[in-house]
Amino acid sequence: MSRAPASRSSTTTSLRARLHEKRAHWRQQVSDALRDRPDAGLDAFTADLLTNAATAALDTVSHEWLRSGGTADRAALLDRAFTLIRLAGPRTGTPRRPSRSWPRAGAG
């Protein structure tokens, strides 16, 4: 008895589900590694938050680079993303501001 080929939709759904599983596993490994660093003093919540923020930054940089048609400076976008995450972190004293203007997509 032969099977009908899987539809493109079900294949795409399966691939996305597998990618989601892999990414969850990688995020957990990174989170665990952050907590295991000597003198890190991170609880599980903070390690997970930092890991997910970094993952979101990498995803956003990739999307912006694609949106620019591959012309945006990925290193500058990554620097911008992590600087903005740092700026959004815990507020102590005077709020920090970016020290430079950011390149627009397609510039550079």
Side-chain angles (χ1 to χ4, degrees):
M1 202 160 139
S2 67
R3 292 178 134 180
S7 71
R8 184 176 296 226
S9 177
S10 67
T11 301
T12 301
T13 302
S14 297
L15 290 173
R16 285 185 180 166
R18 181 66 184 133
L19 178 60
H20 181 74
E21 289 175 15
K22 284 183 179 182
R23 288 176 61 115
H25 177 72
W26 295 331
R27 281 193 306 269
Q28 187 60 55
Q29 287 182 313
V30 171
S31 181
D32 291 346
L34 284 174
R35 283 197 342 252
D36 291 345
R37 291 176 59 190
D39 300 322
L42 297 177
D43 59 23
F45 175 84
T46 303
D48 287 349
L49 180 64
L50 293 172
T51 300
N52 286 307
T55 301
L58 294 170
D59 287 345
T60 304
V61 165
S62 294
H63 287 127
E64 183 60 25
W65 183 77
L66 289 171
R67 189 174 20 245
S68 76
T71 60
D73 181 342
R74 286 184 286 181
L77 289 170
L78 194 58
D79 180 50
R80 177 182 177 190
F82 282 104
T83 297
L84 291 170
I85 289 170
R86 186 178 69 248
L87 291 171
R91 301 282 190 231
T92 56
T94 306
R96 295 170 284 179
R97 302 253 183 235
S99 60
R100 62 183 180 126
S101 61
W102 304 109
R104 294 203 176 265

